[in-house]
Amino acid sequence: MALIVQKYGGTSVGSVERIQAVAQRVYKTVKAGNSIVVVVSAMGKTTDGLVKLATEISPNPNRREMDMLLSTGEQVTIALLSMALQELGQPAISMTGGQVGIVTEAEHSRARILHIETTRLTRHINEGKVVVVAGFQGISSAGEMEITTLGRGGSDTSAVAIAAALKANFCEIYTDVPGILTTDPRLVAEAQLMDAISCDEMLELASLGAKVLHPRAVEIARNYGVPLVVRSSWTDQPGTWVTSAKPQGRSLINLEIARPVDHVEFDTNQAKVALLRVPDKPGVAARLFGEISRQKVDVDLIIQSVHEGNSNDIAFTVTTPILKRAEAVATAIAPALRSQSNPKSDEAEVMVEHNIAKVSIAGAGMIGRPGVAAKMFATLAEAGVNIQMISTSEVKVSCVVNAAECDRAVNALRTAFEIEAGEQRAGSNDGKLSTQHSALSTQHSSPPVRGVALDLNQARLAIRQLPDRPGMAAKLFGLLAQHNISVDMIIQSQRCRVIDGVPRRDIAFTVSRIDGENAKKMLTQVAAELGWGEVVLDSAIAKVSIVGAGMLGQPGVAAKMFEALAQQQINIQMIATSEIKISCVVAQEQGVKALQAIHAAFELAGSEKFVVPA
């Protein structure tokens, strides 16, 4: 007999008929000999309706009162589903987040779960009841017993957290699509269903806007080894399993606010090749990395910063043994990238840098926590380590530094994030991690790209002429963290210019579009006193990304992505990569076309068309 947690979203319980259908599914699962906890969202568009009511009363409603209001949506659903189960003869009891023992921070509208007191829940399960739990909500740990809500994706988070606390056999997420698809079926009807996907890949896709699972839920599943499956509410298809490595025996106390960083990794076997002042037009990255792929040069990080005038910089890192080959390719192609109108110009200069190291922090807990990257940069600054390149993903921040400073950087980061020297990924060599060396690289049997995601809700900020010295990145991202602004992509330009005796670089980063104006206003106010240049905001951008553990050690994946964009005459404005993700910033109006072109290029379409129910 298995203990199963099932979660049903708003569309799955959007009417009386759908609630009765859910009750039948739950009843059938119980009759097969299982114990069930059901977590539900508010019916259909209930939450939207409650928000609309609140804004009719107040343009800026009090967050505590909003939690009181919004928490009622789930209470309607749990009572109705419990009644439906009782009508079928199945003992059931409905419970709010507070009644079930979900204890959270005292942060209204965005609380994180501290722990779950399972005594009452376990008693009802042992009595043979189906426990129907209100997702999205909890109760503060303070004596006031304040109702709190978990923010967007809260019901997913509630379900996986309960599964972790109960040590359930698995957690089923029922939704309006048949599982995890290679992209959004609303944009590509032939999106293909995956049988399984790793938590690392799912974290990237979820954080990139794939709305099937919220990243907080995936983070908990990854941290506690909860087997997770996403299934359709309307069919009996097997769905998609989200798999994770065996967990390290984490405490269930401070469940969602445990330390954000699990590992400090480093690789001293790296060198950097940069092409400065390449033309800023479609096809340049495709041409460069197409040639790199043909020469079988495996690239690690790829960075393209914001353009300056009509040119841009592209930099990439490779392992030291193949540096000569990489340098030869870059040098050979540079003349072809120079401006046809002025072939004698100094464009497309090749710059090679030996003696560098890549230092990274990794951990699922850094999602949505603005201060983690800032803490890394501040730690490096305090250790006197200058950052030459920055690359970010949802679960990792990597910095390229001088190789002579690597040990100092690693020791400082381990101290700052309380990581013991022995705490590293399975199979790593004292924390060393190359692009070939990851637990994920065993998945070469799977396609190199598993999914394509599009984020149309980002804005880009660029700060010109930031002094190039330790502490500048720490200051910048520390300020953003103080204002609770989360940063996604971070890219530091390769071109360095000396102004008034001070070397300077540009730095660009993306934030949620709703934070764009506030971030620009705040940074503009401090730019003058800190000696920074102009702060530039662009809200008309889109970020398109490919994700796949199978791209490790496979030259040509980036080139294929860039070529697909070039064929559609889509210009790449920024590039950032991690071991399992490549992201490109393009113009907002070209975002959907970019996603469709990339999805087709990697032949991810299936034979079946998926229609998402209304």
Side-chain angles (χ1 to χ4, degrees):
M1 184 169 96
L3 172 57
I4 304 168
V5 177
Q6 296 183 340
K7 179 262 175 178
Y8 294 89
T11 52
S12 303
V13 290
S15 66
V16 168
E17 292 75 21
R18 288 182 177 180
I19 288 173
Q20 289 171 328
V22 166
Q24 288 284 356
R25 187 186 286 270
V26 173
Y27 182 65
K28 181 179 173 184
T29 308
V30 173
K31 289 304 171 190
N34 302 295
S35 298
I36 306 291
V37 176
V38 183
V39 178
V40 291
S41 300
M43 293 175 65
K45 302 289 185 182
T46 299
T47 301
D48 293 342
L50 293 172
V51 171
K52 186 173 183 292
L53 282 173
T55 54
E56 287 174 4
I57 295 288
S58 167
N60 187 26
N62 177 277
R63 280 169 46 193
R64 178 191 182 276
E65 303 309 329
M66 282 300 291
D67 277 3
M68 291 292 285
L69 177 67
L70 297 183
S71 64
T72 63
E74 282 73 20
Q75 285 182 241
V76 173
T77 316
I78 59 173
L80 292 174
L81 179 55
S82 187
M83 292 174 193
L85 285 163
Q86 290 165 9
E87 284 299 303
L88 294 173
Q90 171 59 46
I93 183 169
S94 63
M95 299 177 76
T96 66
Q99 288 173 321
V100 89
I102 298 176
V103 180
T104 75
E105 303 169 299
E107 277 280 348
H108 289 293
S109 80
R110 57 178 183 223
R112 288 181 179 264
I113 298 172
L114 297 176
H115 63 278
I116 300 177
E117 296 171 355
T118 58
T119 306
R120 187 176 179 189
L121 187 56
T122 303
R123 187 178 77 245
H124 288 305
I125 293 168
N126 291 339
E127 290 170 355
K129 296 174 187 172
V130 171
V131 184
V132 185
V133 180
F136 176 67
Q137 62 179 252
I139 198 161
S140 74
S141 56
E144 289 83 0
M145 304 279 284
E146 289 287 299
I147 292 174
T148 54
T149 64
L150 307 181
R152 192 170 68 85
S155 293
D156 286 354
T157 305
S158 301
V160 182
I162 288 170
L166 289 173
K167 295 182 172 57
N169 294 84
F170 54 91
C171 179
E172 299 176 320
I173 305 291
Y174 285 94
T175 182
D176 50 9
V177 290
I180 310 298
L181 301 171
T182 51
T183 196
D184 187 341
R186 299 169 184 86
L187 302 178
V188 180
E190 298 82 10
Q192 191 173 352
L193 180 67
M194 302 181 214
D195 294 331
I197 186 171
S198 71
C199 266
D200 288 294
E201 291 170 318
M202 191 64 237
L203 268 172
E204 299 284 12
L205 284 172
S207 302
L208 291 166
K211 299 179 178 65
V212 179
L213 271 176
H214 194 273
R216 281 171 66 184
V218 184
E219 174 191 351
I220 296 168
R222 181 182 188 262
N223 286 344
Y224 293 94
V226 177
L228 194 58
V229 61
V230 180
R231 292 186 170 138
S232 169
S233 297
W234 326 112
T235 71
D236 291 323
Q237 291 182 342
T240 304
W241 284 91
V242 182
T243 60
S244 56
K246 189 175 181 180
Q248 296 180 345
R250 283 176 177 259
S251 167
L252 287 160
I253 303 299
N254 292 334
L255 192 144
E256 266 204 290
I257 62 166
R259 68 184 188 197
V261 173
D262 294 325
H263 309 281
V264 174
E265 304 164 351
F266 64 93
D267 182 3
T268 54
N269 191 28
Q270 294 243 321
K272 179 176 71 177
V273 179
L275 276 83
L276 308 185
R277 295 179 292 277
V278 298
D280 183 42
K281 62 183 182 183
V284 170
R287 194 167 180 182
L288 170 61
F289 289 98
E291 187 59 33
I292 285 171
S293 170
R294 281 187 287 276
Q295 297 301 324
K296 299 288 189 279
V297 174
D298 189 22
V299 171
D300 183 3
L301 300 180
I302 302 172
I303 300 292
Q304 179 181 307
S305 59
V306 286
H307 69 86
E308 185 170 332
N310 295 318
S311 69
N312 215 320
D313 303 337
I314 299 178
F316 57 92
T317 62
V318 294
T319 55
T320 305
I322 60 171
L323 173 60
K324 288 194 185 309
R325 200 155 20 118
E327 183 181 357
V329 173
T331 303
I333 201 170
L337 297 178
R338 290 180 181 139
S339 171
Q340 294 176 0
S341 61
N342 185 14
K344 293 183 179 180
S345 70
D346 63 349
E347 292 176 6
E349 173 192 350
V350 178
M351 182 176 72
V352 176
E353 191 156 348
H354 305 261
N355 302 319
I356 63 167
K358 182 177 72 172
V359 180
S360 308
I361 56 171
M366 63 177 67
I367 293 172
R369 299 188 195 182
V372 178
K375 183 175 180 178
M376 179 186 193
F377 303 150
T379 301
L380 294 177
E382 288 166 11
V385 176
N386 198 35
I387 300 168
Q388 300 180 24
M389 290 172 73
I390 300 168
S391 184
T392 58
S393 78
E394 305 306 321
V395 295
K396 180 177 283 191
V397 181
S398 298
C399 294
V400 170
V401 301
N402 189 302
E405 298 175 335
C406 180
D407 287 348
R408 192 160 78 244
V410 169
N411 290 334
L413 291 170
R414 282 177 173 161
T415 300
F417 290 103
E418 301 176 10
I419 306 294
E420 296 296 325
E423 293 182 77
Q424 61 237 4
R425 287 195 187 281
S428 68
N429 180 17
D430 294 329
K432 296 175 184 174
L433 189 78
S434 74
T435 54
Q436 309 284 338
H437 193 102
S438 166
L440 293 168
S441 62
T442 59
Q443 299 184 19
H444 275 314
S445 56
S446 64
V449 174
R450 306 301 309 283
V452 186
L454 177 66
D455 190 344
L456 292 167
N457 296 309
Q458 292 210 338
R460 179 182 62 215
L461 285 139
I463 301 177
R464 302 291 187 186
Q465 300 171 14
L466 203 71
D468 184 31
R469 57 174 178 252
M472 281 296 105
K475 174 73 74 174
L476 167 58
F477 295 104
L479 284 167
L480 292 166
Q482 287 170 23
H483 288 78
N484 205 35
I485 296 173
S486 290
V487 175
D488 183 14
M489 294 172 72
I490 302 172
I491 297 176
Q492 189 168 265
S493 72
Q494 293 307 296
R495 214 177 305 184
C496 188
R497 57 175 51 79
V498 178
I499 300 173
D500 298 329
V502 179
R504 296 173 181 272
R505 296 182 194 268
D506 297 341
I507 194 163
F509 53 92
T510 59
V511 297
S512 174
R513 186 168 295 154
I514 60 172
D515 289 329
E517 288 291 349
N518 286 340
K520 182 187 177 184
K521 184 178 178 182
M522 181 268 293
L523 292 173
T524 300
Q525 288 173 349
V526 301
E529 61 187 79
L530 293 174
W532 300 350
E534 181 186 11
V535 180
V536 182
L537 172 67
D538 184 358
S539 296
I541 64 163
K543 184 179 77 171
V544 62
S545 307
I546 57 174
V547 173
M551 69 173 71
L552 282 160
Q554 291 201 34
V557 176
K560 183 181 280 193
M561 179 184 190
F562 302 154
E563 179 60 31
L565 297 175
Q567 287 177 0
Q568 298 297 319
Q569 288 297 298
I570 296 172
N571 194 36
I572 300 171
Q573 300 179 17
M574 291 169 67
I575 301 169
T577 66
S578 72
E579 277 90 349
I580 65 169
K581 182 180 77 171
I582 303 171
S583 295
C584 294
V585 168
V586 301
Q588 184 181 11
E589 68 270 13
Q590 295 181 308
V592 173
K593 185 164 74 167
L595 175 137
Q596 292 168 341
I598 294 166
H599 194 269
F602 286 99
E603 301 176 355
L604 294 176
S607 56
E608 185 180 352
K609 289 191 176 183
F610 292 106
V611 178
V612 180

